[in-house]
Amino acid sequence: MQLRKKGFPELRGIVAEAAVLLAGSMMFGLAVNLFIEPGQITMSGFTGISTTINHFLGTPVGTMMILLNLPLLFLEWRRAGSAGVLRTGIGILCTSLAIDGFSFLRSDFTDPLLCAVFGGLIMGAGGGLLLTRGYTTGGSDLCAFLITRKFRRLTTGRVILFIDVVIVVGSSALMQRWTGLLYSFVAVWCYTTAFDRVLEGFGGAKLVIIVSDQHEKIAQQVSEQMHRGVTLLHGAGWYTKARRNVLLCVIKRSEQYALTSFVRQADPGAFVILSNASEVLGEGFAED
């Protein structure tokens, strides 16, 4: 009976993980095949590069996305090891397979504005859903992450914006779709809006309190892997009077999965509280 109780949450977690991965990948694939390609919309990231190559050479979009991401995955593997690229690789593989798997679908949607809005919203929602579980689709996000690791003065958001603008403008120029350039920016805006809404919800940051005997190991991982500040507090249990160390930190919603994974690995018995922070000012967050 105890084995069942212990195993059921694990099985439920695996099923939830698979469901999120499947749903996010399907949304990504459907958005590309039902809206982005029929509307001739140039998206940002490696999706935009892949659809541009498809326009000239007819190569499968999903397969091309995998090939474009391979060098970045290799660089990330050299930096962080296999654990650092596992979820990124799975996210890239699943979304790419979904794009090629749904390529048989034929859509009657050809209005560029309609395709830009719905394609961007569905793709962004799918991407945000994937990232809630730590999966990414690589592309400009992974490229920007590697660049900012090398050049600390640059911010990830600005590097992503620069890369995406270059991809959208460059692809539109190659395909001579200058009118469609405006629709592309509409699609990118819808993508980022839906992505942020799914990922952040209505709480842009999380306040985290961790009570654990492995506080040093957890704090070191959060500091080195996530580059987030951690405050060490000293507390005591009221009933036992035992002194305990408490960690306090603030993270972005997208970093929640990574942090809880660190904690589970370091101390499965740790006591963790996560709550929404309505506003956070300071380094790494909004500035006043």
Side-chain angles (χ1 to χ4, degrees):
M1 192 69 181
Q2 290 181 350
L3 291 176
R4 289 184 180 179
K5 289 183 178 180
K6 183 179 179 181
F8 180 72
E10 295 178 358
L11 178 60
R12 185 172 57 185
I14 293 173
V15 172
E17 191 97 355
V20 169
L21 184 59
L22 180 62
S25 300
M26 288 181 63
M27 292 172 70
F28 212 91
L30 290 172
V32 172
N33 288 287
L34 294 181
F35 297 101
I36 301 302
E37 285 195 331
Q40 297 184 338
I41 306 298
T42 302
M43 287 300 296
S44 59
F46 283 6
T47 306
I49 297 177
S50 299
T51 53
T52 302
I53 296 175
N54 171 266
H55 174 77
F56 290 105
L57 303 178
T59 54
V61 175
T63 302
M64 187 54 60
M65 286 178 62
I66 294 176
L67 295 176
L68 290 172
N69 276 291
L70 282 177
L72 298 182
L73 287 174
F74 175 74
L75 292 174
E76 178 65 6
W77 172 75
R78 291 192 62 183
R79 187 195 70 83
S82 58
V85 300
L86 180 60
R87 288 186 174 271
T88 299
I90 292 175
I92 293 170
L93 180 63
C94 289
T95 52
S96 299
L97 290 176
I99 291 173
D100 287 349
F102 287 121
S103 61
F104 69 93
L105 296 175
R106 296 293 178 266
S107 173
D108 294 330
F109 302 119
T110 56
D111 181 83
L113 182 58
L114 178 71
C115 291
V117 172
F118 282 93
L121 289 175
I122 296 173
M123 184 183 291
L129 189 62
L130 289 171
L131 196 56
T132 59
R133 292 286 176 166
Y135 299 104
T136 70
T137 57
S140 56
D141 293 351
L142 180 56
C143 186
F145 180 76
L146 293 171
I147 291 174
T148 52
R149 289 291 183 187
K150 186 73 174 178
F151 303 98
R152 298 283 185 179
R153 293 183 179 180
L154 299 175
T155 62
T156 304
R158 290 178 180 176
V159 175
I160 291 175
L161 178 61
F162 175 77
I163 294 173
D164 288 345
V165 169
V166 170
I167 290 173
V168 171
V169 174
S171 298
S172 299
L174 287 173
M175 292 186 289
Q176 296 295 309
R177 293 176 179 171
W178 294 112
T179 304
L181 180 62
L182 299 178
Y183 294 114
S184 296
F185 283 118
V186 171
V188 171
W189 183 83
C190 291
Y191 173 89
T192 54
T193 300
F195 188 94
D196 290 341
R197 278 300 175 194
V198 171
L199 188 62
E200 306 290 350
F202 293 97
K206 290 286 185 180
L207 174 65
V208 186
I209 299 174
I210 304 169
V211 182
S212 171
D213 293 331
Q214 301 295 325
H215 60 278
E216 291 185 2
K217 185 176 181 180
I218 295 172
Q220 184 176 5
Q221 287 182 315
V222 172
S223 178
E224 294 180 356
Q225 299 294 327
M226 301 176 61
H227 301 281
R228 289 294 177 193
V230 183
T231 300
L232 178 63
L233 306 176
H234 301 289
W238 173 253
Y239 181 76
T240 63
K241 308 302 181 184
R243 294 188 176 278
R244 303 293 298 274
N245 290 299
V246 181
L247 299 179
L248 174 69
C249 65
V250 178
I251 61 173
K252 292 183 178 179
R253 177 67 177 82
S254 58
E255 298 168 331
Q256 178 179 331
Y257 185 88
L259 183 138
T260 53
S261 297
F262 290 154
V263 175
R264 288 194 192 100
Q265 292 173 4
D267 183 6
F271 186 76
V272 183
I273 301 174
L274 295 100
S275 61
N276 290 329
S278 60
E279 186 176 8
V280 182
L281 302 177
E283 184 177 355
F285 295 92
E287 296 182 358
D288 193 7

